[in-house]
Amino acid sequence: MISVHVEKVLTRTRTSLWFRPALYAAVAVATLLLAPVVAPFIPDRLVRLIGLDGVYDLLDALANTLLAVAIFSLGIMASSMQAAAGAATPRARPLLMQDRTAQNAISTFIGGFIFAIVGVVGLSTSYYNDASRVVLFFASCIVIAAVILSLIRWIGRLSSLGGVSEVIDRLEEATAAALAAHARDPFMGGLPGLPPPDGFDLFPDRFGYLEAVNIQEIARTAGHIPLCLLVRPGAYLDPTRPVLRASRALDEETAARLRAAFVIGPDRQFDRDPRFGLIVLSEVASRALSPGVNDPGTAIDVIGTSVGLLARWSDDLAPGPEVRHPQLHIAPLSVTDLMEDAFRWIARDGAGQLEVQIRLQKGLATLAAHDPVLFGPAARALSQEALDRAARAMELPQDIERLRAEAARLATAE
């Protein structure tokens, strides 16, 4: 089984901007190197039909154009990322950098350029015979078709690249995936439970955010020792905050192995941390509600997105999740924390805007009606807090009364 440390490196490598271009370039070079292997299967008629000049001209045209197109595309992508960071939030940039259409287009351009330049160099040597040049000709035609297709898709993609609505969509996808993963296995194979008041605590040896936990390694190391995991991915750790509580003292070797099961890094990650996605969505709304932007429509869009995410998560929660490690107790993900991450700061920054406050009250009422047991208490608390903030910020009595009437529907729906 792949450890979480190796999985983290593989995931970051696979989603990095350089990975696809490097992969495409490797395929291009491999095609050029294998052309003499395929050459014996080429009919003599094709060898006589296609000459050296036709192959060279195709490769020369590709080499002269694709590098400039790749550099231009990278410049557009960098500008779009900068615009998205300014208009929405810098925390969304890693998701935008993983855009498949952009990566495929840039990879095709760079791979095609490397194919062309290596092919031109190969034609200047005796590595290719006449039949091999025919193989290069057909490979060049395939590269040209791939470039044209990628260019068309890339042009279509440019219309929405870097926009605030796209940032919200990307954040929704990432947050939905993290919430769905949590719903399938909310306690990571352990039993739900809060930490006992007494026990022996394990502390981390460095600062940073908890990116992942190797539950299998913790269970294997602990054996039959009951343990309680005190933190979940996304928590900020320091050497004074315990991460595990054991029923008995742990020797140094066991403690070291348990510490190694915690992946600590400088940043929060979207894939295992559903709270982070909701926080970043809330940041987008807060930026839109700032006086310099004044875009309440984006905040309303974010409220609707967060309501939908939480409702789907409650529907997907496993009623009886599989218990693979009965000796481990896992602290539950707090619903109150999730809802505060999603809505509290929108209530603060949009306190003076009636349209935002009404949409927020309706969103909280929707969640409370969707799952009264799970969302009801937190929704009513946030509703009252938002109403108190709005009462301080709004000047027109009619606005306040309109909002109080909306909040009263949730307060009485218990």
Side-chain angles (χ1 to χ4, degrees):
M1 181 177 293
I2 300 177
S3 70
V4 290
H5 297 273
V6 177
E7 184 182 356
K8 169 187 169 183
V9 173
L10 292 177
T11 300
R12 290 191 174 179
T13 300
R14 188 176 61 253
T15 56
S16 297
L17 185 60
W18 60 266
F19 178 73
R20 285 177 182 266
L23 184 62
Y24 280 44
V27 171
V29 173
T31 302
L32 293 167
L33 293 176
L34 293 175
V37 178
V38 183
F41 301 97
I42 301 299
D44 293 338
R45 183 187 306 177
L46 286 177
V47 175
R48 291 191 299 270
L49 181 64
I50 301 174
L52 172 63
D53 292 340
V55 179
Y56 183 87
D57 291 342
L58 279 177
L59 293 176
D60 186 59
L62 288 173
N64 288 332
T65 57
L66 288 184
L67 182 61
V69 173
I71 293 174
F72 179 69
S73 300
L74 281 170
I76 292 177
M77 189 173 181
S79 300
S80 300
M81 299 304 104
Q82 188 66 28
T89 171
R91 256 66 62 190
R93 182 177 296 180
L95 295 178
L96 297 175
M97 295 292 286
Q98 297 171 17
D99 182 86
R100 287 179 175 263
T101 302
Q103 288 190 356
N104 286 335
I106 293 171
S107 301
T108 302
F109 300 150
I110 294 177
F113 168 76
I114 294 176
F115 172 84
I117 201 69
V118 175
V120 169
V121 172
L123 288 175
S124 303
T125 67
S126 59
Y127 182 72
Y128 298 116
N129 56 22
D130 290 344
S132 299
R133 292 165 184 163
V134 175
V135 176
L136 288 187
F137 176 81
F138 286 109
S140 300
C141 292
I142 294 173
V143 170
I144 291 173
V147 168
I148 293 173
L149 180 61
S150 296
L151 191 58
I152 293 173
R153 295 182 63 192
W154 179 231
I155 292 172
R157 184 72 183 83
L158 290 177
S159 61
S160 60
L161 191 65
V164 176
S165 60
E166 188 205 2
V167 173
I168 294 174
D169 291 341
R170 296 291 177 185
L171 288 170
E172 182 180 9
E173 292 175 5
T175 309
L179 286 170
H182 173 272
R184 288 191 301 269
D185 194 11
F187 300 103
M188 296 180 276
L191 291 169
L194 297 174
D198 298 319
F200 298 87
D201 291 338
L202 178 73
F203 295 87
D205 54 3
R206 58 187 183 276
F207 295 84
Y209 288 100
L210 180 60
E211 296 182 353
V213 182
N214 192 337
I215 291 293
Q216 290 81 8
E217 179 62 25
I218 291 178
R220 188 164 45 246
T221 302
H224 297 290
I225 304 174
L227 294 177
C228 183
L229 183 66
L230 305 179
V231 293
R232 302 184 69 99
Y236 186 78
L237 305 182
D238 63 71
T240 66
R241 180 182 182 182
V243 293
L244 277 176
R245 182 164 294 168
S247 59
R248 62 178 177 83
L250 304 172
D251 58 75
E252 293 185 5
E253 180 182 355
T254 301
R257 291 177 61 186
L258 289 173
R259 286 192 187 95
F262 293 84
V263 181
I264 302 175
D267 302 305
R268 297 180 75 165
Q269 305 297 317
F270 289 97
D271 54 349
R272 292 181 175 88
D273 182 6
R275 289 186 60 187
F276 185 48
L278 293 172
I279 289 172
V280 178
L281 277 168
S282 181
E283 285 183 4
V284 175
S286 292
R287 178 72 62 91
L289 291 171
S290 63
V293 178
N294 192 23
D295 179 18
T298 294
I300 291 172
D301 188 11
V302 168
I303 293 171
T305 299
S306 298
V307 169
L309 286 169
L310 290 172
R312 290 194 297 272
W313 168 69
S314 70
D315 292 337
D316 295 338
L317 274 174
E322 179 187 2
V323 178
R324 301 182 298 275
H325 314 296
Q327 75 276 37
L328 297 182
H329 287 74
I330 313 294
L333 181 63
S334 170
V335 176
T336 300
D337 288 343
L338 282 173
M339 295 190 65
E340 288 180 351
D341 292 336
F343 304 118
R344 167 171 277 178
W345 314 125
I346 300 177
R348 178 197 63 190
D349 296 325
Q353 301 194 35
L354 179 62
E355 62 273 30
V356 175
Q357 291 295 325
I358 289 178
R359 186 65 186 87
L360 178 59
Q361 293 290 344
K362 288 183 176 180
L364 293 172
T366 298
L367 289 174
H370 185 79
D371 194 329
V373 176
L374 188 64
F375 295 123
R380 282 186 284 274
L382 279 172
S383 172
Q384 184 59 48
E385 180 180 326
L387 183 61
D388 293 341
R389 291 179 184 273
R392 290 175 175 269
M394 292 181 182
E395 298 179 355
L396 196 63
Q398 292 92 322
D399 288 348
I400 300 174
E401 289 304 316
R402 172 72 177 84
L403 188 61
R404 282 178 177 155
E406 195 68 48
R409 298 178 184 177
L410 174 57
T412 56
E414 298 192 28

